[in-house]
């Protein structure tokens, strides 16, 4: 007979991350129990997971941790190759996501300037229009008491339309991009197929960059191509790298934010009532969801250029470091003994770290807040009696190790 606590890791044990994501809450707790610098195993590849808010805050500012793959001993010595199913998460081409220091600033500036809250006000009407269209599609799909998939029909198309519009991607390509990224992230995809689809995406993005070079328009891709006064223009590889980082990140993470918020509200009806009565703001809903059920489970990866002490432990030079955001959001030292509870009555502002910290802090944070800040209230205004069509325990995560993404989200509109 197995002891009920057999699965609880002891500090120092290695937690083997489940590629099928069969029990995300259980795994989150096991990693937390394994200590501030947990040893984890990612499909046979060992890494250290940062699991405490205060440590992450410090380490994300530490220049001894870098994104450069060549600082990773397992990569340098050929023990990790492109045959590893997670390689696409770290070897993603030259972009703001993979470069540090002064070069990083050069690669990132235009993107962060395009995504300030003030600049985003200009696209709010577009996001409202997309949302209204998708609500109509949802109403059609869920008419006459039919079960409709809130993910496929609402939460998934919205972020792709928004980021596609910002980057100047032809909306006709959205279906292809959604399919390809689903395949990219899924651990059920054979690695040769994953590498092939990444190569196809590179061709697609390079074509787009050439098109925008010939005919610049009013989008961020065109802005990235144009040189600043006196500045070095980005190379085609750099523009492609930024473009694919924006589309992948802008699409995938916001789906999780919207669905995780809806799931939290539908499974906490007393709190939903307070929200619908106007006693709790949608902003609070979004921030508590970001803390409690982060769209990014683990962020891969940084590498130690020297030994780095964390409490009584050491990240050894050459080791890979993962920031385990979902565990960090449940850190009792930061959020109190009730860190595992979804609680909209927590005092605002909720000081979570879900968008990261330091130079690589999410440049799309304000955009995701605008999208969720439109999509969530609009959904509940139109369908205030929205309900899950299956018991919440039957909602399954996709087999994706780094993202917190549900397979589907069947609902009844009850309108
Ligand atoms: C996916 C594959 C690709 O072509 C480019 C990137 C770079 C940005 C990455 C993205 C990746 C995966 C999801 C990430 C995103 C940045 C933010 C997002 C890690 C590797 C998060 O989940 C936070």
């Amino acid at each position: 007979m197995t002891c009920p606590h057999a699965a609880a890791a002891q500090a120092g044990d290695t937690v083997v991350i489940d590629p099928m994501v069969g029990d995300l809450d259980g795994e989150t707790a096991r990693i937390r129990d394994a200590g501030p610098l947990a040893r984890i195993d990612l499909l046979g590849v060992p890494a250290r997971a940062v699991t405490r808010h205060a440590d992450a805050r410090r380490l994300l500012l530490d220049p001894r941790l870098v994104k450069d793959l060549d600082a990773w001993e397992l990569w340098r010595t050929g023990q990790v190759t492109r045959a590893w199913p997670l390689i696409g998460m770290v070897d993603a081409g030259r972009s703001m996501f993979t470069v540090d220091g002064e070069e990083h600033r050069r690669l990132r500036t235009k993107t962060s300037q395009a995504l300030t809250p003030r600049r985003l006000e200009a696209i709010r009407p577009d996001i409202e229009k997309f949302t209204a269209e998708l609500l109509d599609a949802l109403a059609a799909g869920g008419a006459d008491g039919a079960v409709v998939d809130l993910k496929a029909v609402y939460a998934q198309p919205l972020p792709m339309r928004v980021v596609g519009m910002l980057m100047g991607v032809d909306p006709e390509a959205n279906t292809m991009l959604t399919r390809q990224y689903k395949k990219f992230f899924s651990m059920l995809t054979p690695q040769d197929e994953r590498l092939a689809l990444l190569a196809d995406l590179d061709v697609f993005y390079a074509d787009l960059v050439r098109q925008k070079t010939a005919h610049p328009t009013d989008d961020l891709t065109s802005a990235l191509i144009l040189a600043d006064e006196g500045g070095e223009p980005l190379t085609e590889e750099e523009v492609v790298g930024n473009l694919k980082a924006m589309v992948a990140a802008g699409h995938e993470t916001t789906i999780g934010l919207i669905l995780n918020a809806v799931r939290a509200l539908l499974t906490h009806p007393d709190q939903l009532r307070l929200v619908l009565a106007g006693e709790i703001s949608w902003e609070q809903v979004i921030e508590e969801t970001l803390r409690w059920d982060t769209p990014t489970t683990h962020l891969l990866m940084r590498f130690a250029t020297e030994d780095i002490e964390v409490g009584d432990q050491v990240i050894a030079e050459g080791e890979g470091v993962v920031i385990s955001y979902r565990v960090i959001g449940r850190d009792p030292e930061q959020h109190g003994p009730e860190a595992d509870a979804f609680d909209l009555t927590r005092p605002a502002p909720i000081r979570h770290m879900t968008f990261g910290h330091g130079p690589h802090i999410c440049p799309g944070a304000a955009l995701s807040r605008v999208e969720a800040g439109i999509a969530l209230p609009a959904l509940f205004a139109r369908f205030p009696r929205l309900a899950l069509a299956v018991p919440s325990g039957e909602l399954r995560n996709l087999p994706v190790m780094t993202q917190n993404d549900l397979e589907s989200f069947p609902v009844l509109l009850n309108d």
Side-chain angles (χ1 to χ4, degrees), residues 44-351:
V45 171
R48 307 304 292 272
V50 179
T51 68
R52 301 295 188 262
H53 183 103
D55 291 333
R57 203 178 156 82
R58 189 161 30 79
L59 290 168
L60 287 168
L61 295 173
D62 192 323
R64 297 171 297 177
L65 277 180
V66 299
K67 294 262 193 163
D68 179 8
L69 253 184
D70 292 326
W72 193 15
E73 180 164 351
L74 293 175
W75 176 257
R76 257 190 338 245
T77 55
Q79 297 175 75
V80 169
T81 65
R82 290 193 54 87
W84 184 48
L86 291 165
I87 195 66
M89 296 299 300
V90 284
D91 191 13
R94 188 177 158 81
S95 77
M96 60 181 152
F97 184 68
T98 55
V99 167
D100 296 293
E102 186 51 33
E103 281 290 274
H104 171 252
R105 203 195 50 76
R106 170 177 161 270
L107 291 174
R108 175 175 158 119
T109 305
K110 274 191 187 167
T111 302
S112 44
Q113 284 170 352
L115 297 174
T116 59
R118 194 179 57 80
R119 292 280 294 275
L120 292 174
E121 281 312 303
I123 63 162
R124 183 180 284 279
D126 297 297
I127 303 176
E128 285 166 350
K129 183 178 129 255
F130 295 152
T131 303
E133 287 169 11
L134 294 171
L135 282 173
D136 288 343
L138 195 61
D144 303 320
V147 174
V148 59
D149 182 1
L150 185 71
K151 178 177 182 185
V153 180
Y154 191 70
Q156 180 168 273
L158 179 67
M160 185 59 95
R161 283 198 199 176
V162 174
V163 76
M165 173 189 71
L166 267 171
M167 302 312 292
V169 176
D170 179 354
E172 299 265 301
N174 287 355
T175 312
M176 175 279 287
L177 290 168
T178 300
R179 182 171 28 84
Q180 295 287 55
Y181 282 113
K182 181 168 182 192
K183 218 170 151 191
F184 166 76
F185 284 111
S186 172
M187 286 299 115
L188 295 176
T189 303
Q191 181 62 358
D192 56 337
E193 284 181 36
R194 185 173 0 260
L195 293 176
L197 80 83
L198 286 172
D200 289 347
L201 283 172
D202 275 346
V203 171
F204 171 82
Y205 289 123
D207 279 350
L208 181 62
V209 170
R210 280 179 214 135
Q211 218 176 294
K212 298 288 173 187
T213 306
H215 308 285
T217 44
D218 177 27
D219 52 50
L220 181 49
T221 303
S222 301
L224 290 173
I225 293 165
L226 295 171
D228 280 326
E229 278 195 39
E232 268 290 294
L234 304 195
T235 65
E236 182 180 298
E237 185 200 0
E238 291 166 340
V239 177
V240 167
N242 278 350
L243 175 57
K244 64 189 189 189
M246 281 290 294
V247 174
H251 162 59
E252 167 57 36
T253 50
T254 312
I255 301 171
L257 172 56
I258 295 170
L259 287 182
N260 294 347
V262 175
R263 172 167 58 173
L265 291 170
L266 294 183
T267 53
H268 297 82
D270 295 349
Q271 301 194 50
L272 174 57
R273 221 165 291 132
L274 296 177
V275 177
L276 295 183
E279 286 171 43
I280 282 170
S281 68
W282 286 102
E283 187 190 334
Q284 181 80 351
V285 172
I286 291 167
E287 298 310 311
E288 177 67 348
T289 301
L290 284 166
R291 175 195 75 80
W292 185 68
D293 200 10
T294 62
T296 300
T297 315
H298 304 287
L299 194 107
L300 272 52
M301 199 183 273
R302 288 172 171 78
F303 311 103
T305 57
E306 298 173 25
D307 288 0
I308 301 171
E309 284 181 27
V310 178
D312 59 1
Q313 297 193 55
V314 175
I315 305 170
E317 174 183 349
E319 266 191 314
V321 175
V322 167
I323 312 294
S324 292
Y325 284 108
R326 199 166 188 280
V327 186
I328 288 170
R330 306 291 188 97
D331 180 357
E333 277 172 41
Q334 177 69 11
H335 301 292
E338 301 301 315
D340 280 329
F342 178 77
D343 178 7
L344 294 173
T345 64
R346 268 168 214 287
I350 299 168
R351 297 190 191 282

